[in-house]
Structure formats: C-alpha cells, structure tokens
Amino acid sequence: MNQQTLPETDANLNSKLATLRRHIQHTIVGQGSLIERLLIGLLADGHLLLEGLPGLAKTTAVHTLADGMALSFRRIQFTPDLIPGDITGTEIFLSQAGEFKFIEGPIFNEIILADEINRAPPKVQSALLEAMQERQVTVAGMTRTLPAVFQVIATQNPLEQEGTYPLPEAQLDRFLMKVELDYPQQDDELEILKRETERLQHGGRESGLAVLSPDEIIAARDQVNAIYMDEMLARYCVTLVNATRNPGAWIAEAKEWLAYGASPRATLALARCARALAYLRQRDFVEPADIVDLADDVLGHRIGLSFAARAEGITARQIIQQLVDIVPIP
C-alpha cells in the first residue's frame, strides 16, 4: 500500500460504506460519534455496547444499521424472566419420531440487538459469552457454529436505573467498544421533531437499502486488517494499555484509583479499531489521532474502579483521558 490514500480497488466498498453512513444519518440526527463507531464495530468485527438513558435512539440506530445491510437481524429484548435457552435455543423431544430436535434460538442470526441487556440476570447475560468470543454455541453437549458475519450490539441503561444488573467483567471485556450517549443538542432535537413529523405524514418507517452483503463486509474487513500501523504506534497502544495497570507511574494520585487495568484483549481491540477508523477516513495507514480518538470507548469499560475512586466521584473515562493526556504520543 502507498500509505497515502486507499487504492482504487477499494472504491466500490468505500462508496457502499458512505451510502450506509448516509442511510443511518437520515434516521439518526446528530450522534456522529455513535454512527462512526457503529461502522467501526462492523469493520473491526467486534461487538458494541451502547449505554444511555431511555429515548436516546440506541435501538433505532441498530435497527437502521441492520436495515442497510443484507444480513439476518434479530432483536432480543432482555427481561428479568428470560432464561439462557431463550437466547441460544433448546432441544425438544418429538414423541412421534422418538428423538430430540434442536430449535435454534435468535442468536443464530448475523446482527443481534441485545436490547437493555442489563435488565436480565447475570446467568442470562453469560449465555452470550461463548457466542461473542468463540462464534459458536454449545447446547446439550453439541457445538454449533454461528454465521461468518456475527455481531452483537447491546444496549443498556445506566446502572443507576432501577431494575438493572451490572454486566460481568468477563463479558464487558468481550465488547470491542462501549459507547456512551448523551442528550442531543437543541438544534438536533428540533430536526428530530421535523423528521418524525415528515415520517408520519408519509406513511411511517422507510425500508432499508441492503447496501452491503456478507461477502462484501468480509472483504472490507480484510482491507481493514491490511491497514498499516507503524511499530511506534503499536508501542503507543501497548504503553497506553499498560498505563491502566500501573496508573501511579504516570499520575501519582491515580495509584489508588484502579482495582485492575485493561487486559491484552484491550490492546488488540485498540489496534483493530484504529485501523478501522483510518479506513473510514480514507487512509491506508494509522495516525496517532485514530488511537487517541478511540481510547475512551475501547478502554473505559475494561478497567475497574476502586472504592476510593467511586467515593470521590471519579469515572473510568476521566482516568483514561488523563492517561491519554500524559502518555507521550509518537
């Protein structure tokens, strides 16, 4: 690669990705960071966790993304009475045939919307662990492979909301990024109101464009994996992640803030996301800004706050931002 711009052979895929982005932007007003990270998750072959108060278009954004691709899509509404078999599937006994038959659960689709994932108890949440990491499901001793393109996009309400359960650390680590949403700006909210009025006047929700096929998504991921990352930037990723394990070496008062730091999976995730962001920005090489821009979303949910930090009202993202500010950029 020439390390300047993406080659012409990528033009078709980039054009389709641009069309997909416009399709999402037509429905989701503002929230540019969310839209960009939805595309990064798709290109980096990783799962996403979207957190925000009810009504901030988390579910709508995932629906709109799925509408723009020729992929099978299922929404799983997580509730306190859900059981693992409702997700993975179960075996039923056919009395006439005298044998068991496996009935696939909704997890056997390409795009999974795990809506309000933290409203289900931990046992149900953990039913996703094998699927998210190994891309397979084991039920009654039989392992079944999931589709080649498989992505879980989960939404959750802030943990302070009533009726929520915190996600286990092992599951949080399997999410490529955690994206936090906030209220829209007033101008954006006015535009949302105008578009909703137009939608109702023209007969409801628009159908999707089915822009990208599974083969095209896999091809785009191959191109993302080929994006060049200089060794200095690779070392920067490693140093930044290691700083979360020993924050006191960088910020004296941070020594007591963290119970644990990010795992090596975080280093891999940061590099993958940086390559995907470079690809979206029409480059075939990673720049330091690609890493800096994504550090909060990739690392924030992978570190554990100490009791002292929580007592002082310090958030994980504040710690990550301080480390990003102080760790030297190549």
Side-chain angles (χ1 to χ4, degrees), residues 231-294:
E231 184 176 349
M232 289 190 300
L233 291 181
R235 287 184 179 277
Y236 175 60
C237 289
V238 172
T239 302
L240 197 55
V241 173
N242 271 265
T244 67
R245 302 168 193 165
N246 186 21
W250 299 91
I251 307 169
E253 60 270 27
K255 183 178 180 179
E256 306 299 327
W257 287 350
L258 295 184
Y260 59 85
S263 72
R265 188 181 283 122
T267 308
L268 300 175
L270 189 56
R272 283 163 54 197
C273 289
R275 286 188 168 95
L277 183 55
Y279 185 83
L280 286 174
R281 292 175 174 176
Q282 301 292 300
R283 283 185 276 103
D284 66 352
F285 61 96
V286 175
E287 291 183 347
D290 300 325
I291 300 171
V292 170
D293 289 351
L294 295 170

Side-chain angles (χ1 to χ4, degrees), residues 51-119:
E51 180 179 281
L53 293 167
L56 295 182
K58 301 184 297 294
T59 302
T60 302
V62 182
H63 269 296
T64 307
L65 173 70
D67 281 347
M69 299 180 289
L71 303 176
S72 59
F73 169 76
R74 281 295 296 274
R75 171 182 174 177
I76 307 173
Q77 183 64 51
F78 279 67
T79 56
D81 61 346
L82 208 64
I83 63 174
D86 294 332
I87 298 172
T88 59
T90 187
E91 287 193 331
I92 62 172
F93 183 72
L94 303 178
S95 57
Q96 292 182 341
E99 61 182 18
F100 285 92
K101 180 181 179 181
F102 179 71
I103 304 299
E104 292 185 348
I107 198 70
F108 288 89
N109 283 274
E110 290 164 315
I111 300 291
I112 304 296
L113 168 57
D115 209 7
E116 295 187 305
I117 188 173
N118 60 335
R119 289 204 178 277

Side-chain angles (χ1 to χ4, degrees), residues 139-192:
V139 177
M142 179 70 70
T143 299
R144 295 171 174 85
T145 303
L146 294 170
V149 175
F150 174 75
Q151 184 182 28
V152 174
I153 305 178
T155 71
Q156 73 170 14
N157 297 322
L159 293 179
E160 293 77 12
Q161 294 287 299
E162 184 177 355
T164 59
Y165 300 84
L167 298 182
E169 289 84 356
Q171 186 169 7
L172 282 173
D173 200 27
R174 283 164 172 78
F175 283 105
L176 186 73
M177 289 186 289
K178 177 184 175 183
V179 184
E180 296 183 0
L181 282 70
D182 202 352
Y183 291 114
Q185 299 294 320
Q186 288 192 24
D187 289 344
D188 289 337
E189 195 161 358
L190 180 60
E191 181 63 24
I192 291 171

